[in-house]
Amino acid sequence: METDIAIVGAGFGGLGAAVALQRAGFTDFLVFDRGDEVGGTWRDNTYPGCACDVPSHLYSFSFAPNPRWSNTFSSQPEIWDYLRDCVDRFGIRPKVRLRHEVLDARWDDQRQRWLLRTSGGDHTARVLICAAGPLSEPAVPDLPGVDDFAGTVFHSARWRHDHDLTGRRVAVIGTGASAVQFVPEIQPAVERLTLFQRSPAWIMPRRSRRISRVEQAAFRALPGAQRAARAGLYLVREGMGLGFLHPAVNRLASRLSLRTLRRQVTDPALRDKLTPRYAMGCKRVLISNDYWPSLTRPNVDVVTAGITRIVLDGLVSADGVHHRADTIILGTGFHVTDSPVVRLIHGRGGRNLGEAWTPSMHAYRGTTINGFPNLFFLLGPNTGLGHTSVVLMIEAQLRLVLAALRHMRAKGIPAIEPTAEAQRRWTERVDQKMTGTVWQTGCSSWYLDATGRNTTIWPGFATGFRLRLRRFRPADHRVVPADRTPNETEREHADAV
Protein backbone atom coordinates (compact mmCIF):
# COMPACT_ATOMS: atom_id res chain seq x y z
CA MET A 1 0.00 0.00 0.00
CA GLU A 2 1.29 3.46 -0.90
CA THR A 3 1.17 6.49 1.40
CA ASP A 4 3.02 9.78 1.16
CA ILE A 5 4.21 9.94 4.79
CA ALA A 6 4.64 7.03 7.19
CA ILE A 7 4.86 7.67 10.93
CA VAL A 8 6.28 5.00 13.22
CA GLY A 9 4.91 5.16 16.76
CA ALA A 10 1.68 6.49 18.25
CA GLY A 11 2.92 8.19 21.39
CA PHE A 12 3.43 11.92 21.90
CA GLY A 13 5.80 12.17 18.93
CA GLY A 14 3.79 10.17 16.42
CA LEU A 15 0.42 11.64 17.34
CA GLY A 16 1.87 15.14 17.43
CA ALA A 17 3.28 14.56 13.94
CA ALA A 18 -0.08 13.31 12.67
CA VAL A 19 -1.96 16.33 13.98
CA ALA A 20 0.69 18.77 12.74
CA LEU A 21 0.68 17.24 9.25
CA GLN A 22 -3.10 17.27 9.01
CA ARG A 23 -3.37 20.87 10.18
CA ALA A 24 -0.71 21.88 7.61
CA GLY A 25 -2.57 20.21 4.73
CA PHE A 26 -0.42 17.06 4.44
CA THR A 27 -3.26 14.58 4.72
CA ASP A 28 -1.78 11.55 2.97
CA PHE A 29 -0.14 9.82 5.93
CA LEU A 30 -0.47 6.74 8.12
CA VAL A 31 0.61 6.07 11.71
CA PHE A 32 1.92 2.58 12.46
CA ASP A 33 2.07 1.21 16.00
CA ARG A 34 2.63 -2.26 17.39
CA GLY A 35 0.16 -1.81 20.26
CA ASP A 36 -3.57 -2.38 20.57
CA GLU A 37 -4.14 1.32 21.31
CA VAL A 38 -2.31 4.61 20.93
CA GLY A 39 -0.27 6.09 23.76
CA GLY A 40 3.28 4.77 23.48
CA THR A 41 5.14 5.05 26.78
CA TRP A 42 1.95 6.10 28.58
CA ARG A 43 0.11 3.05 27.28
CA ASP A 44 2.89 0.59 28.15
CA ASN A 45 3.91 1.82 31.61
CA THR A 46 1.08 0.92 33.96
CA TYR A 47 3.04 0.15 37.11
CA PRO A 48 1.58 1.33 40.44
CA GLY A 49 2.19 5.02 41.02
CA CYS A 50 3.18 5.79 37.42
CA ALA A 51 3.06 9.55 36.87
CA CYS A 52 4.86 12.38 35.10
CA ASP A 53 7.53 14.51 36.74
CA VAL A 54 6.79 17.53 34.50
CA PRO A 55 3.80 19.81 35.27
CA SER A 56 0.62 18.77 33.47
CA HIS A 57 0.01 22.07 31.67
CA LEU A 58 3.51 21.85 30.19
CA TYR A 59 3.50 18.13 29.46
CA SER A 60 0.87 18.50 26.75
CA PHE A 61 0.62 19.89 23.24
CA SER A 62 0.47 23.67 22.90
CA PHE A 63 -2.26 23.22 20.28
CA ALA A 64 -4.33 20.90 22.49
CA PRO A 65 -4.65 22.32 26.02
CA ASN A 66 -6.47 20.14 28.52
CA PRO A 67 -8.53 22.09 31.07
CA ARG A 68 -9.49 18.84 32.82
CA TRP A 69 -6.13 17.96 34.41
CA SER A 70 -6.95 16.90 37.97
CA ASN A 71 -3.44 17.37 39.39
CA THR A 72 -0.51 19.67 38.75
CA PHE A 73 1.51 16.50 37.99
CA SER A 74 -0.56 14.02 36.02
CA SER A 75 -0.81 10.29 36.54
CA GLN A 76 -0.37 7.71 33.78
CA PRO A 77 -4.12 7.04 33.28
CA GLU A 78 -4.83 10.76 32.76
CA ILE A 79 -1.99 11.23 30.29
CA TRP A 80 -3.06 8.17 28.35
CA ASP A 81 -6.66 9.48 28.29
CA TYR A 82 -5.33 12.81 27.04
CA LEU A 83 -3.52 11.21 24.11
CA ARG A 84 -6.54 9.14 23.13
CA ASP A 85 -8.69 12.26 23.36
CA CYS A 86 -6.28 14.07 21.00
CA VAL A 87 -6.69 11.28 18.44
CA ASP A 88 -10.45 11.69 18.46
CA ARG A 89 -10.47 15.48 18.87
CA PHE A 90 -8.39 15.96 15.71
CA GLY A 91 -9.99 13.10 13.78
CA ILE A 92 -6.82 11.14 13.06
CA ARG A 93 -7.97 7.71 14.24
CA PRO A 94 -8.72 6.59 10.64
CA LYS A 95 -5.04 7.23 9.90
CA VAL A 96 -3.78 5.00 12.72
CA ARG A 97 -2.81 1.40 12.01
CA LEU A 98 -2.67 -0.47 15.31
CA ARG A 99 -1.07 -3.91 15.67
CA HIS A 100 1.24 -2.92 12.79
CA GLU A 101 4.72 -3.42 14.19
CA VAL A 102 7.35 -2.11 11.79
CA LEU A 103 9.74 -5.01 11.18
CA ASP A 104 11.90 -3.36 8.53
CA ALA A 105 12.18 0.02 6.78
CA ARG A 106 14.46 0.39 3.73
CA TRP A 107 15.19 3.34 1.49
CA ASP A 108 14.79 2.37 -2.17
CA ASP A 109 17.46 4.35 -4.05
CA GLN A 110 15.76 3.79 -7.40
CA ARG A 111 12.16 4.54 -6.52
CA GLN A 112 13.07 7.11 -3.85
CA ARG A 113 10.62 5.61 -1.45
CA TRP A 114 10.76 3.99 1.96
CA LEU A 115 9.74 0.33 1.82
CA LEU A 116 8.09 -0.72 5.06
CA ARG A 117 7.46 -4.28 6.14
CA THR A 118 5.02 -4.43 9.05
CA SER A 119 3.25 -7.21 10.91
CA GLY A 120 0.08 -5.99 9.19
CA GLY A 121 1.40 -5.85 5.62
CA ASP A 122 3.82 -4.00 3.34
CA HIS A 123 3.70 -0.27 2.64
CA THR A 124 5.71 2.34 0.73
CA ALA A 125 6.14 5.99 1.64
CA ARG A 126 8.01 9.02 0.33
CA VAL A 127 8.77 10.29 3.84
CA LEU A 128 9.42 8.36 7.05
CA ILE A 129 8.95 9.95 10.47
CA CYS A 130 10.34 7.78 13.26
CA ALA A 131 8.62 8.52 16.56
CA ALA A 132 9.32 5.25 18.35
CA GLY A 133 10.50 7.19 21.40
CA PRO A 134 13.60 6.76 23.57
CA LEU A 135 11.67 4.98 26.35
CA SER A 136 10.02 2.28 24.26
CA GLU A 137 12.36 -0.71 24.64
CA PRO A 138 12.90 -1.96 28.21
CA ALA A 139 16.51 -2.72 29.15
CA VAL A 140 16.71 -6.20 30.64
CA PRO A 141 20.10 -6.93 32.24
CA ASP A 142 21.88 -10.22 31.68
CA LEU A 143 21.51 -11.81 35.10
CA PRO A 144 23.46 -15.05 35.54
CA GLY A 145 21.17 -17.87 36.63
CA VAL A 146 17.90 -16.09 35.95
CA ASP A 147 16.60 -19.13 34.05
CA ASP A 148 16.94 -21.17 37.25
CA PHE A 149 14.77 -18.78 39.26
CA ALA A 150 11.58 -20.50 40.42
CA GLY A 151 9.63 -17.29 40.84
CA THR A 152 8.30 -14.52 38.59
CA VAL A 153 10.43 -11.92 36.79
CA PHE A 154 9.13 -8.85 34.95
CA HIS A 155 10.18 -5.35 33.95
CA SER A 156 8.35 -2.36 35.38
CA ALA A 157 7.36 -1.31 31.84
CA ARG A 158 5.64 -4.69 31.39
CA TRP A 159 3.95 -4.83 34.75
CA ARG A 160 2.28 -8.16 35.64
CA HIS A 161 -1.06 -7.02 37.04
CA ASP A 162 -2.11 -10.67 37.24
CA HIS A 163 0.69 -11.34 39.73
CA ASP A 164 -0.53 -10.35 43.20
CA LEU A 165 2.37 -9.06 45.30
CA THR A 166 0.52 -9.34 48.61
CA GLY A 167 2.59 -11.25 51.12
CA ARG A 168 5.43 -11.92 48.67
CA ARG A 169 9.17 -11.51 49.01
CA VAL A 170 10.04 -9.05 46.26
CA ALA A 171 13.45 -8.07 44.94
CA VAL A 172 13.60 -4.78 43.03
CA ILE A 173 16.63 -4.21 40.82
CA GLY A 174 17.25 -0.56 39.98
CA THR A 175 16.48 2.77 41.62
CA GLY A 176 15.55 4.98 38.68
CA ALA A 177 12.42 7.03 38.01
CA SER A 178 10.09 4.03 37.77
CA ALA A 179 11.31 2.36 40.96
CA VAL A 180 11.04 5.62 42.90
CA GLN A 181 7.34 5.64 41.99
CA PHE A 182 6.35 1.99 42.37
CA VAL A 183 8.41 1.02 45.45
CA PRO A 184 6.32 3.15 47.87
CA GLU A 185 3.15 1.73 46.29
CA ILE A 186 4.02 -1.95 46.73
CA GLN A 187 5.99 -1.74 49.99
CA PRO A 188 2.95 -1.87 52.34
CA ALA A 189 1.60 -5.02 50.64
CA VAL A 190 4.69 -7.21 50.39
CA GLU A 191 6.16 -9.37 53.14
CA ARG A 192 9.72 -8.37 52.28
CA LEU A 193 11.14 -5.87 49.80
CA THR A 194 14.84 -6.04 48.93
CA LEU A 195 15.99 -3.07 46.88
CA PHE A 196 19.22 -3.50 44.94
CA GLN A 197 20.76 -0.09 44.42
CA ARG A 198 23.76 0.57 42.22
CA SER A 199 23.90 4.30 42.93
CA PRO A 200 21.54 6.54 44.94
CA ALA A 201 19.45 9.19 43.23
CA TRP A 202 19.10 12.87 43.95
CA ILE A 203 15.47 13.33 44.94
CA MET A 204 13.54 16.56 45.28
CA PRO A 205 10.15 17.02 46.97
CA ARG A 206 7.14 16.57 44.70
CA ARG A 207 5.27 19.89 44.86
CA SER A 208 1.98 18.56 43.53
CA ARG A 209 -1.59 19.44 44.38
CA ARG A 210 -5.05 18.75 43.09
CA ILE A 211 -6.46 21.24 40.59
CA SER A 212 -9.83 22.40 41.86
CA ARG A 213 -13.04 22.29 39.87
CA VAL A 214 -13.12 26.07 40.02
CA GLU A 215 -9.72 26.21 38.29
CA GLN A 216 -10.82 23.65 35.73
CA ALA A 217 -13.96 25.65 34.98
CA ALA A 218 -11.88 28.81 34.61
CA PHE A 219 -9.55 27.09 32.16
CA ARG A 220 -12.54 25.89 30.11
CA ALA A 221 -14.18 29.31 30.07
CA LEU A 222 -10.96 31.30 29.63
CA PRO A 223 -8.45 29.39 27.46
CA GLY A 224 -6.11 32.35 27.77
CA ALA A 225 -5.81 31.66 31.49
CA GLN A 226 -4.48 28.18 30.79
CA ARG A 227 -2.07 29.53 28.19
CA ALA A 228 -0.84 32.04 30.77
CA ALA A 229 -0.36 29.25 33.32
CA ARG A 230 1.59 27.25 30.75
CA ALA A 231 3.77 30.27 29.91
CA GLY A 232 4.53 30.80 33.58
CA LEU A 233 5.52 27.16 34.04
CA TYR A 234 7.67 27.39 30.92
CA LEU A 235 9.65 30.31 32.32
CA VAL A 236 10.07 28.69 35.74
CA ARG A 237 11.27 25.44 34.22
CA GLU A 238 13.66 27.22 31.87
CA GLY A 239 15.15 28.91 34.91
CA MET A 240 15.75 25.48 36.45
CA GLY A 241 17.97 24.68 33.47
CA LEU A 242 20.68 26.98 34.88
CA GLY A 243 21.64 24.35 37.42
CA PHE A 244 22.39 21.83 34.69
CA LEU A 245 24.44 24.21 32.58
CA HIS A 246 26.29 25.68 35.57
CA PRO A 247 26.57 22.98 38.27
CA ALA A 248 27.45 25.43 41.04
CA VAL A 249 23.92 26.85 40.78
CA ASN A 250 22.53 23.49 41.97
CA ARG A 251 24.19 23.71 45.38
CA LEU A 252 21.08 25.20 46.96
CA ALA A 253 18.88 22.45 45.49
CA SER A 254 21.41 19.84 46.65
CA ARG A 255 21.21 21.17 50.21
CA LEU A 256 17.41 21.05 50.07
CA SER A 257 17.52 17.43 48.90
CA LEU A 258 19.98 16.39 51.61
CA ARG A 259 17.98 18.22 54.28
CA THR A 260 14.89 16.29 53.17
CA LEU A 261 16.86 13.04 53.31
CA ARG A 262 18.03 13.78 56.87
CA ARG A 263 14.47 14.52 57.96
CA GLN A 264 12.95 11.43 56.33
CA VAL A 265 15.70 8.89 57.06
CA THR A 266 16.97 9.01 60.64
CA ASP A 267 19.06 5.82 60.56
CA PRO A 268 22.64 6.97 59.79
CA ALA A 269 23.66 3.75 58.02
CA LEU A 270 20.65 3.77 55.69
CA ARG A 271 20.99 7.50 55.11
CA ASP A 272 24.61 7.00 54.10
CA LYS A 273 23.55 4.41 51.52
CA LEU A 274 20.99 6.84 50.09
CA THR A 275 23.30 9.86 49.92
CA PRO A 276 24.42 10.70 46.35
CA ARG A 277 28.11 11.39 45.86
CA TYR A 278 28.00 13.03 42.47
CA ALA A 279 26.84 16.42 41.23
CA MET A 280 23.07 16.86 41.21
CA GLY A 281 21.79 16.58 37.64
CA CYS A 282 24.60 14.37 36.37
CA LYS A 283 22.01 11.58 36.51
CA ARG A 284 18.29 12.20 36.25
CA VAL A 285 16.92 14.17 39.20
CA LEU A 286 13.82 12.45 40.60
CA ILE A 287 10.86 13.83 42.53
CA SER A 288 9.07 12.03 45.35
CA ASN A 289 7.66 12.60 48.80
CA ASP A 290 7.33 8.96 49.86
CA TYR A 291 10.25 7.00 48.36
CA TRP A 292 12.81 7.62 51.11
CA PRO A 293 10.23 7.10 53.91
CA SER A 294 9.19 3.78 52.36
CA LEU A 295 12.78 2.52 52.60
CA THR A 296 12.78 3.03 56.39
CA ARG A 297 10.00 0.49 56.96
CA PRO A 298 10.83 -2.74 58.83
CA ASN A 299 10.10 -4.96 55.80
CA VAL A 300 12.61 -3.18 53.51
CA ASP A 301 16.31 -3.85 52.93
CA VAL A 302 18.53 -1.65 50.74
CA VAL A 303 21.43 -3.62 49.25
CA THR A 304 24.32 -1.75 47.65
CA ALA A 305 26.47 -4.80 46.87
CA GLY A 306 26.21 -5.93 43.27
CA ILE A 307 24.29 -9.04 42.20
CA THR A 308 26.52 -11.99 41.35
CA ARG A 309 23.85 -14.53 40.40
CA ILE A 310 20.21 -15.55 40.59
CA VAL A 311 19.39 -18.81 42.34
CA LEU A 312 16.27 -20.94 42.66
CA ASP A 313 14.78 -18.95 45.54
CA GLY A 314 16.44 -15.56 45.33
CA LEU A 315 19.56 -13.55 44.58
CA VAL A 316 23.14 -13.69 45.82
CA SER A 317 24.96 -10.38 46.21
CA ALA A 318 28.68 -9.71 45.84
CA ASP A 319 29.17 -9.87 49.61
CA GLY A 320 27.98 -13.48 49.58
CA VAL A 321 24.58 -12.85 51.16
CA HIS A 322 21.63 -14.89 49.90
CA HIS A 323 18.50 -12.75 49.59
CA ARG A 324 15.34 -14.84 49.40
CA ALA A 325 12.74 -13.72 46.85
CA ASP A 326 9.82 -15.16 44.91
CA THR A 327 9.41 -12.13 42.62
CA ILE A 328 11.99 -10.00 40.81
CA ILE A 329 10.96 -6.62 39.40
CA LEU A 330 13.38 -4.94 37.01
CA GLY A 331 13.43 -1.17 37.34
CA THR A 332 16.37 -1.09 34.95
CA GLY A 333 15.26 1.55 32.48
CA PHE A 334 15.30 1.48 28.69
CA HIS A 335 17.53 1.13 25.66
CA VAL A 336 18.09 4.83 25.01
CA THR A 337 21.48 5.07 23.31
CA ASP A 338 21.15 1.62 21.72
CA SER A 339 17.48 1.27 20.83
CA PRO A 340 16.78 -1.86 18.72
CA VAL A 341 14.52 0.14 16.38
CA VAL A 342 17.51 1.84 14.74
CA ARG A 343 18.71 -1.48 13.32
CA LEU A 344 15.43 -1.83 11.44
CA ILE A 345 15.93 1.40 9.46
CA HIS A 346 18.17 1.05 6.38
CA GLY A 347 19.30 4.10 4.43
CA ARG A 348 21.20 4.59 1.19
CA GLY A 349 23.20 1.50 0.22
CA GLY A 350 21.39 -0.67 2.75
CA ARG A 351 23.32 0.59 5.79
CA ASN A 352 21.16 0.52 8.90
CA LEU A 353 20.90 3.38 11.36
CA GLY A 354 22.43 1.31 14.14
CA GLU A 355 25.59 0.92 12.07
CA ALA A 356 25.62 4.64 11.24
CA TRP A 357 25.25 5.39 14.95
CA THR A 358 28.11 3.16 16.06
CA PRO A 359 29.84 4.08 18.30
CA SER A 360 27.86 7.35 18.78
CA MET A 361 24.55 8.78 17.60
CA HIS A 362 24.74 11.85 15.35
CA ALA A 363 21.93 13.80 13.70
CA TYR A 364 21.54 17.24 12.18
CA ARG A 365 19.48 19.30 14.62
CA GLY A 366 18.67 16.03 16.34
CA THR A 367 16.20 15.28 13.54
CA THR A 368 17.71 14.30 10.17
CA ILE A 369 20.63 12.00 9.35
CA ASN A 370 23.11 12.01 6.52
CA GLY A 371 22.69 8.87 4.41
CA PHE A 372 19.00 8.51 5.30
CA PRO A 373 16.94 10.52 2.81
CA ASN A 374 13.52 11.83 3.82
CA LEU A 375 13.90 10.41 7.34
CA PHE A 376 12.90 12.60 10.27
CA PHE A 377 13.73 11.24 13.72
CA LEU A 378 11.73 12.71 16.60
CA LEU A 379 13.52 12.90 19.95
CA GLY A 380 16.74 11.90 18.24
CA PRO A 381 20.29 12.52 19.50
CA ASN A 382 20.69 15.35 22.03
CA THR A 383 17.02 16.30 22.20
CA GLY A 384 16.29 15.13 25.75
CA LEU A 385 15.95 17.54 28.65
CA GLY A 386 16.72 17.41 32.34
CA HIS A 387 14.65 20.40 33.42
CA THR A 388 11.47 20.74 31.36
CA SER A 389 9.08 19.04 28.95
CA VAL A 390 10.28 17.05 25.93
CA VAL A 391 6.94 17.85 24.29
CA LEU A 392 8.44 21.30 23.65
CA MET A 393 11.29 19.63 21.77
CA ILE A 394 8.91 17.46 19.76
CA GLU A 395 6.92 20.51 18.66
CA ALA A 396 10.13 22.31 17.66
CA GLN A 397 11.14 19.32 15.56
CA LEU A 398 7.71 19.15 13.96
CA ARG A 399 7.98 22.77 12.87
CA LEU A 400 11.26 21.86 11.18
CA VAL A 401 9.67 18.80 9.53
CA LEU A 402 6.83 20.90 8.12
CA ALA A 403 9.26 23.56 6.87
CA ALA A 404 11.29 20.88 5.09
CA LEU A 405 8.21 19.32 3.52
CA ARG A 406 6.95 22.70 2.33
CA HIS A 407 10.34 23.47 0.79
CA MET A 408 10.40 20.11 -1.01
CA ARG A 409 6.88 20.63 -2.31
CA ALA A 410 7.59 24.19 -3.50
CA LYS A 411 10.80 23.20 -5.29
CA GLY A 412 9.58 19.85 -6.60
CA ILE A 413 12.32 18.02 -4.70
CA PRO A 414 11.64 14.29 -4.24
CA ALA A 415 14.28 13.51 -1.62
CA ILE A 416 16.73 15.38 0.64
CA GLU A 417 19.17 14.66 3.42
CA PRO A 418 21.52 16.83 5.48
CA THR A 419 25.05 17.11 4.17
CA ALA A 420 27.77 15.30 6.11
CA GLU A 421 29.44 18.65 6.74
CA ALA A 422 26.29 20.26 8.18
CA GLN A 423 25.75 17.27 10.45
CA ARG A 424 29.38 17.38 11.59
CA ARG A 425 29.16 21.12 12.39
CA TRP A 426 25.98 20.62 14.40
CA THR A 427 27.48 17.73 16.37
CA GLU A 428 30.62 19.72 17.15
CA ARG A 429 28.54 22.66 18.39
CA VAL A 430 26.52 20.37 20.67
CA ASP A 431 29.69 18.79 22.07
CA GLN A 432 31.18 22.22 22.68
CA LYS A 433 28.03 23.34 24.50
CA MET A 434 28.24 20.21 26.65
CA THR A 435 31.60 21.37 28.08
CA GLY A 436 31.25 22.62 31.62
CA THR A 437 27.73 21.25 32.11
CA VAL A 438 26.74 18.94 34.94
CA TRP A 439 26.75 15.98 32.57
CA GLN A 440 30.51 16.32 32.21
CA THR A 441 31.27 16.10 35.93
CA GLY A 442 32.21 12.44 35.86
CA CYS A 443 29.28 10.23 36.85
CA SER A 444 27.99 7.41 34.66
CA SER A 445 24.37 7.43 33.54
CA TRP A 446 22.04 6.30 30.79
CA TYR A 447 22.63 9.70 29.19
CA LEU A 448 26.05 8.45 28.04
CA ASP A 449 26.80 6.01 25.25
CA ALA A 450 29.51 3.33 25.18
CA THR A 451 32.17 5.95 24.38
CA GLY A 452 31.23 8.11 27.35
CA ARG A 453 29.71 10.79 25.14
CA ASN A 454 26.39 12.37 26.13
CA THR A 455 24.21 11.70 23.08
CA THR A 456 20.80 12.10 24.70
CA ILE A 457 20.55 15.47 26.45
CA TRP A 458 20.33 18.92 24.85
CA PRO A 459 23.01 21.03 26.61
CA GLY A 460 21.00 24.20 26.80
CA PHE A 461 17.59 25.76 27.29
CA ALA A 462 14.56 24.52 25.37
CA THR A 463 14.24 28.06 24.02
CA GLY A 464 17.66 27.82 22.38
CA PHE A 465 16.76 24.54 20.67
CA ARG A 466 13.45 25.93 19.44
CA LEU A 467 15.14 29.01 17.98
CA ARG A 468 17.72 26.89 16.16
CA LEU A 469 14.97 24.82 14.55
CA ARG A 470 12.69 27.71 13.65
CA ARG A 471 13.46 27.56 9.91
CA PHE A 472 14.66 25.09 7.32
CA ARG A 473 18.15 25.70 5.86
CA PRO A 474 18.35 24.46 2.25
CA ALA A 475 22.12 25.12 2.13
CA ASP A 476 22.65 22.45 4.81
CA HIS A 477 20.95 19.79 2.68
CA ARG A 478 21.52 17.98 -0.56
CA VAL A 479 19.01 16.72 -3.10
CA VAL A 480 19.29 12.94 -3.29
CA PRO A 481 19.35 11.74 -6.92
CA ALA A 482 17.60 8.52 -7.88
CA ASP A 483 19.81 5.48 -8.47
CA ARG A 484 18.62 4.00 -11.75
CA THR A 485 20.31 0.66 -11.10
CA PRO A 486 18.15 -1.45 -8.80
CA ASN A 487 20.05 -3.58 -6.31
CA GLU A 488 19.20 -7.12 -5.28
CA THR A 489 17.28 -6.07 -2.18
CA GLU A 490 15.04 -3.75 -4.18
CA ARG A 491 14.32 -6.44 -6.78
CA GLU A 492 13.39 -8.89 -4.02
CA HIS A 493 11.04 -6.35 -2.41
CA ALA A 494 9.44 -5.53 -5.78
CA ASP A 495 8.84 -9.22 -6.41
CA ALA A 496 7.32 -9.66 -2.96
CA VAL A 497 4.99 -6.68 -3.35
Side-chain angles (χ1 to χ4, degrees):
M1 183 177 293
E2 175 82 23
T3 188
D4 188 45
I5 303 171
I7 303 169
V8 180
F12 262 102
L15 298 180
V19 174
L21 289 170
Q22 182 157 284
R23 296 176 76 197
F26 294 93
T27 57
D28 185 5
F29 64 85
L30 291 174
V31 182
F32 300 96
D33 194 278
R34 65 188 176 188
D36 295 328
E37 181 54 286
V38 302
T41 296
W42 297 104
R43 171 199 62 214
D44 296 340
N45 286 267
T46 60
Y47 58 80
C50 184
C52 188
D53 55 8
V54 174
S56 305
H57 292 306
L58 204 55
Y59 197 78
S60 49
F61 295 120
S62 62
F63 53 79
N66 177 21
R68 297 185 300 277
W69 293 124
S70 67
N71 197 287
T72 52
F73 289 85
S74 302
S75 63
Q76 175 267 335
E78 271 200 277
I79 298 172
W80 190 20
D81 283 345
Y82 169 75
L83 289 172
R84 287 180 288 186
D85 177 71
C86 285
V87 169
D88 297 325
R89 190 195 317 188
F90 293 98
I92 60 175
R93 192 166 289 276
K95 302 285 190 178
V96 178
R97 299 293 180 267
L98 299 172
R99 294 177 292 280
H100 277 62
E101 181 178 3
V102 174
L103 306 173
D104 191 74
R106 292 179 182 269
W107 174 255
D108 185 323
D109 284 316
Q110 183 187 27
R111 296 161 61 185
Q112 294 194 306
R113 289 290 185 275
W114 282 97
L115 313 178
L116 274 66
R117 179 165 58 87
T118 82
S119 57
D122 293 338
H123 297 260
T124 64
R126 179 177 64 94
V127 172
L128 178 63
I129 299 176
C130 183
L135 305 182
S136 59
E137 294 292 337
V140 178
D142 183 15
L143 299 171
V146 69
D147 293 337
D148 299 326
F149 184 60
T152 300
V153 182
F154 59 89
H155 193 281
S156 62
R158 302 292 183 266
W159 195 268
R160 286 281 304 274
H161 291 281
D162 61 334
H163 184 68
D164 187 5
L165 296 178
T166 304
R168 295 189 180 275
R169 302 181 72 90
V170 178
V172 174
I173 302 176
T175 54
S178 300
V180 164
Q181 293 183 343
F182 73 72
V183 163
E185 296 291 324
I186 68 173
Q187 174 270 318
V190 304
E191 177 188 335
R192 195 84 201 160
L193 193 153
T194 307
L195 178 68
F196 289 85
Q197 171 189 276
R198 186 169 58 180
S199 61
W202 283 103
I203 298 177
M204 295 293 288
R206 188 180 186 88
R207 309 293 191 191
S208 64
R209 65 171 180 82
R210 291 196 61 80
I211 299 175
S212 70
R213 291 186 179 181
V214 172
E215 290 174 283
Q216 293 174 348
F219 289 146
R220 284 194 298 271
L222 301 168
Q226 189 168 11
R227 288 194 294 270
R230 179 185 173 92
L233 287 169
Y234 178 85
L235 292 174
V236 169
R237 284 280 166 158
E238 283 288 77
M240 292 170 63
L242 278 172
F244 295 87
L245 304 180
H246 306 285
V249 177
N250 264 347
R251 288 174 184 164
L252 180 61
S254 300
R255 286 198 291 269
L256 172 61
S257 177
L258 293 176
R259 187 163 62 247
T260 303
L261 176 60
R262 286 193 298 271
R263 186 176 68 251
Q264 295 182 344
V265 180
T266 57
D267 175 31
L270 177 58
R271 188 168 63 237
D272 184 65
K273 288 182 180 180
L274 300 175
T275 300
R277 291 174 173 82
Y278 55 88
M280 174 180 272
C282 188
K283 298 176 185 283
R284 183 175 176 182
V285 179
L286 308 178
I287 61 172
S288 176
N289 296 328
D290 52 8
Y291 174 69
W292 281 332
S294 73
L295 302 185
T296 67
R297 305 302 183 235
N299 66 333
V300 177
D301 290 317
V302 177
V303 178
T304 57
I307 299 168
T308 56
R309 66 186 186 278
I310 310 296
V311 293
L312 182 71
D313 61 346
L315 305 86
V316 178
S317 52
D319 54 6
V321 178
H322 176 203
H323 306 272
R324 288 182 55 212
D326 55 53
T327 302
I328 298 175
I329 302 176
L330 304 175
T332 47
F334 300 85
H335 288 282
V336 177
T337 60
D338 59 344
S339 174
V341 71
V342 300
R343 302 202 173 273
L344 307 178
I345 302 174
H346 300 260
R348 284 190 291 109
R351 187 187 192 197
N352 72 51
L353 190 51
E355 293 168 335
W357 280 355
T358 300
S360 279
M361 301 188 295
H362 300 88
Y364 174 73
R365 301 192 188 183
T367 308
T368 54
I369 303 105
N370 176 257
F372 293 81
N374 290 5
L375 171 66
F376 298 92
F377 205 99
L378 300 184
L379 293 183
N382 295 113
T383 58
L385 293 168
H387 66 285
T388 190
S389 173
V390 294
V391 180
L392 301 170
M393 308 295 270
I394 290 172
E395 291 196 22
Q397 289 184 285
L398 291 176
R399 283 190 288 273
L400 179 66
V401 172
L402 292 177
L405 294 179
R406 290 187 182 108
H407 174 79
M408 293 168 66
R409 183 171 59 186
K411 300 296 184 180
I413 299 172
I416 60 168
E417 67 181 23
T419 66
E421 175 61 19
Q423 183 169 295
R424 183 191 62 77
R425 288 197 310 268
W426 174 266
T427 301
E428 287 180 351
R429 277 194 226 102
V430 169
D431 288 346
Q432 288 168 4
K433 286 173 64 65
M434 198 71 70
T435 303
T437 66
V438 71
W439 304 290
Q440 297 292 300
T441 55
C443 77
S444 64
S445 72
W446 57 265
Y447 296 150
L448 309 180
D449 63 19
T451 70
R453 181 171 169 265
N454 189 330
T455 55
T456 57
I457 296 293
W458 168 248
F461 299 106
T463 302
F465 184 82
R466 296 170 74 188
L467 289 173
R468 284 170 172 82
L469 269 67
R470 68 188 184 278
R471 64 185 181 89
F472 177 72
R473 299 175 184 272
D476 287 347
H477 296 77
R478 64 182 289 268
V479 177
V480 181
D483 182 353
R484 299 304 176 188
T485 306
N487 59 35
E488 190 65 29
T489 300
E490 293 159 1
R491 285 195 293 269
E492 289 176 359
H493 185 89
D495 292 341
V497 174

